[in-house]
Amino acid sequence: MKITAIETHVCNARMRNWIFVKVVTDQPGLWGWGEATLEWHTKGVVGAIEDISQLLVGEDPRRIEHLWQMMYRQHFWHGNGIVRGTAISGIDIALWDILGKIHNVPCHELWGGRVRDYVRLYCHLGGGKMEDFYETAPGNAKRFGELAQQAVEEGFTAFKSMAVPETMSLEGLKPIKSAEACVQAMREAVGDDIDIMVDCHARPTPRMGLMFAKALEPYGLFFFEEPCWPETMEDIALIQRSVATPIASGERLVGVHAFREMLEKRAVSVVQPDITHCGGLSEARRIGALAEAYKVSMAPHNPQGPVSTAASLELGFATPSYIICESVHNDVEWREDVVSEGFEVKKEGRIVLPNTRPGLGIEINEEEIKNHPFQQEVLQRTFYRDGSVGDW
């Protein structure tokens, strides 16, 4: 059995161009689907996949670890940068899809079988609709409360918000009070039985991140995400030690070695590898095992397309440290037209029952993808009030 081609199929979904990766074999009807979505770097990732494919065409797709080592270690540069790491991830996910199809079992059965009966989903405020999640003014506490209530009405028991505003390296009480008002409005709208997450998007500096974390501590957040950039891992660890709130981070990290440092420093309570960036399912499984060794929870970053979600769910069913799956369902109205899925989502509680189809249990509608060709992603640019460049 040999790999005969590695194809990329780009599908524009407004906020992102989904990059679907199709690994084709010489066995009739046998291929695998992966995803390598990286917003604002679509052309770079597609080119990286083309470069890497030279290593794999003609190889046996069943030798997944061998092929992963080739992709990561050959061509001189290790695959620990975001573009090449994303390219590797998309191909790796597709290889696992193929292996599941060969053995006629879901991927989670390849990894020792189910460790849980269902996986719980959480949503973004607005279900992933860009205008609600990213563009609701942080000062509009009432709107945050309304969107929180909407998430609960849609069946979710957990949701994520971006209640922390963009700030300069140091600011006074105004942004702190704004974030506190928004989180208070959400908590009052949904009560104590619903889990609320707040994502800082790594906007704050370490000191501002600590100030936000302390201000929001009384509201019992499920976790407080990316309080500052992981380039300052010691500061994330300081924030973790300073509050009772679980701190989460990791979506910007590529490879198990970066997560080893995070865990050694006891920087987080929740690791958030992105399966489409960190090195695929192969590397995500290693990260999950490392998290288990440190008794740290795992909640993969997953705001991308449907193949990413299917991969995250398969990982969740076989990984003890996995606690919850990030999901978006309202980013584009035609999302369900692109994919058929083998798992079932119960609306009450938004829990997912196991996939029963082979591999990832999904199939991509290539004709529907053609209806949404590449377009440059919607630009998101941040400048502070003095005109200096900020983190979005």
Side-chain angles (χ1 to χ4, degrees):
M1 184 180 299
K2 293 182 179 180
I3 296 171
T4 57
I6 299 177
E7 304 171 358
T8 53
H9 298 259
V10 177
C11 180
N12 180 258
R14 291 188 69 215
M15 185 70 186
R16 296 169 172 84
N17 282 292
W18 295 333
I19 304 174
F20 298 126
V21 181
K22 186 179 184 181
V23 176
V24 183
T25 76
D26 60 0
Q27 304 298 303
L30 179 61
W31 57 76
W33 285 105
E35 184 172 343
T37 300
L38 182 63
E39 53 269 50
W40 303 297
H41 295 80
T42 300
K43 295 177 182 178
V45 171
V46 169
I49 291 171
E50 183 179 345
D51 289 338
I52 293 171
S53 67
Q54 302 171 62
L55 297 168
L56 303 188
V57 171
E59 296 288 335
D60 187 338
R62 295 169 293 189
R63 300 183 65 187
I64 297 176
E65 184 59 34
H66 180 64
L67 300 184
W68 192 94
Q69 294 290 332
M70 288 172 60
M71 291 190 288
Y72 185 86
R73 298 168 64 181
Q74 294 186 339
H75 283 177
F76 184 73
W77 301 100
H78 277 182
N80 54 12
I82 188 59
V83 171
R84 186 167 170 190
T86 301
I88 290 171
S89 298
I91 296 170
D92 178 83
I93 293 167
L95 292 173
W96 282 107
D97 189 33
I98 289 173
L99 192 63
K101 291 174 179 176
I102 290 171
H103 294 287
N104 198 33
V105 295
C107 283
H108 66 261
E109 296 288 348
L110 301 172
W111 305 323
R114 289 190 292 111
V115 298
R116 54 181 49 87
D117 296 328
Y118 65 85
V119 171
R120 182 167 67 133
L121 299 177
Y122 76 86
C123 70
H124 295 177
L125 288 190
K129 185 180 177 183
M130 180 174 61
E131 290 79 2
D132 286 335
F133 187 62
Y134 293 105
E135 297 179 7
T136 297
N140 190 351
K142 179 181 178 182
R143 181 59 176 160
F144 274 85
E146 292 170 348
L147 290 169
Q149 185 60 47
Q150 176 184 313
V152 174
E153 290 171 356
E154 292 178 349
F156 289 95
T157 61
F159 60 82
K160 185 158 74 178
S161 65
M162 290 187 67
V164 170
E166 299 165 346
T167 58
M168 299 179 70
S169 59
L170 189 64
E171 293 195 24
L173 282 175
K174 183 177 179 180
I176 304 295
K177 293 294 185 181
S178 173
E180 188 174 4
C182 291
V183 175
Q184 181 179 354
M186 290 188 291
R187 179 58 75 199
E188 290 176 352
V190 302
D192 292 341
D193 292 339
I194 301 298
D195 290 321
I196 299 175
M197 299 86 142
V198 170
D199 184 0
C200 294
H201 235 224
R203 291 167 168 175
T205 58
R207 181 52 50 176
M208 289 299 298
L210 177 58
M211 292 168 68
F212 282 120
K214 283 185 172 292
L216 301 182
E217 187 174 14
Y219 299 98
L221 299 178
F222 190 64
F223 59 68
F224 188 61
E225 182 175 336
E226 283 203 304
C228 59
W229 265 84
E231 294 158 334
T232 54
M233 197 71 73
E234 293 83 359
D235 289 302
I236 298 181
L238 174 62
I239 295 170
Q240 173 73 101
R241 291 192 297 270
S242 300
V243 294
T245 307
I247 301 301
S249 187
E251 69 182 67
R252 301 171 200 257
L253 302 182
V254 178
V256 71
H257 303 295
F259 284 90
R260 180 188 63 188
E261 179 191 5
M262 174 177 277
L263 290 163
E264 286 175 345
K265 288 180 166 34
R266 307 300 199 276
V268 296
S269 298
V270 183
V271 292
Q272 296 179 292
D274 190 310
I275 298 168
T276 67
H277 303 327
C278 74
L281 284 162
S282 294
E283 195 77 333
R285 293 183 65 228
R286 289 187 273 267
I287 294 164
L290 192 60
E292 175 71 11
Y294 280 88
K295 296 302 176 187
V296 167
S297 299
M298 182 187 203
H301 181 246
N302 178 50
Q304 285 88 236
V307 180
S308 176
T309 298
S312 185
L313 289 168
E314 287 301 303
L315 181 71
F317 276 110
T319 305
S321 56
Y322 191 109
I323 55 168
I324 197 166
C325 179
E326 180 173 9
S327 67
V328 294
H329 60 283
N330 196 31
D331 48 353
V332 288
E333 61 185 13
W334 41 264
R335 185 182 180 99
E336 294 182 359
D337 297 335
V338 168
V339 63
S340 64
E341 298 166 329
F343 54 83
E344 179 185 357
V345 180
K346 296 287 189 182
K347 184 172 181 181
E348 184 177 355
R350 290 285 180 164
I351 61 172
V352 182
L353 302 183
N355 163 44
T356 57
R357 299 181 190 172
L360 298 178
I362 54 96
E363 192 57 51
I364 296 298
N365 184 337
E366 295 182 43
E367 291 303 312
E368 180 63 26
I369 289 174
K370 293 176 183 177
N371 294 328
H372 310 282
F374 170 83
Q375 295 182 45
Q376 191 62 54
E377 297 91 337
V378 178
L379 284 176
Q380 298 292 323
R381 304 170 69 186
T382 293
F383 298 94
Y384 299 133
R385 58 178 177 270
D386 63 1
S388 58
V389 174
D391 285 303
W392 171 69

